Amino acid sequence: MIRRIARLSLELAALTAIWWFGGWLAKAAGLPLPGGVIGLGLLLALFASGAIRPSLLQGGAGLLLAEMLLFFIPALMSLLDYGPLLRSEGWKILLVIMCSTLLVMLVTALSVEGMYRWRLRHESR
């Protein structure tokens, strides 16, 4: 049990370090991208190059994904302060949320499918 908690803590620390480094890199280079996006790109590059195996971070990533709702509740609660805005522009906001969610799901599905096919090609060699 203690080994599992220690491993999970190390995985979460590694993911946090990559996220932090991406934020630092975005700020230092003046990039117009969020640090999390740059961190994900760095993580993808590490996975693709074979420097890190995805299984090494699977537990920490799984925990973060399982608790993802906790990251969105504060943002949703802050919407209560903007009642008049939601009544006048709510349908536009909802449309943007629906379209962006659909786009994220589509890009994620295509990325996963592409990486899966790439992995199959390289494992068969």
Side-chain angles (χ1 to χ4, degrees):
M1 178 71 169
I2 293 175
R3 285 187 83 174
R4 185 167 188 249
I5 292 172
R7 179 180 169 98
L8 191 61
S9 297
L10 284 173
E11 290 177 16
L12 290 172
L15 290 168
T16 302
I18 292 169
W19 167 75
W20 180 85
F21 182 71
W24 176 84
L25 191 61
K27 188 175 182 181
L31 297 172
L33 293 171
V37 172
I38 294 172
L40 282 175
L42 291 171
L43 189 59
L44 178 63
L46 290 171
F47 287 159
S49 69
I52 295 178
R53 290 187 329 267
S55 61
L56 291 177
L57 299 175
Q58 190 171 2
L63 177 69
L64 290 174
L65 286 173
E67 304 302 330
M68 190 177 285
L69 182 60
L70 294 176
F71 298 121
F72 291 108
I73 289 175
L76 292 175
M77 294 307 291
S78 67
L79 285 177
L80 296 176
D81 296 335
Y82 298 99
L85 174 66
L86 289 176
R87 281 189 283 283
S88 65
E89 304 293 329
W91 70 272
K92 292 178 187 175
I93 296 170
L94 186 60
L95 182 65
V96 168
I97 290 171
M98 288 176 17
C99 289
S100 62
T101 300
L102 182 64
L103 186 61
V104 166
M105 291 171 70
L106 181 65
V107 169
T108 301
L110 292 174
S111 299
V112 168
E113 180 69 22
M115 287 302 294
Y116 178 72
R117 289 180 186 210
W118 177 81
R119 184 176 175 190
L120 285 177
R121 278 195 312 267
H122 288 282
E123 284 181 353
S124 66
R125 292 181 185 178

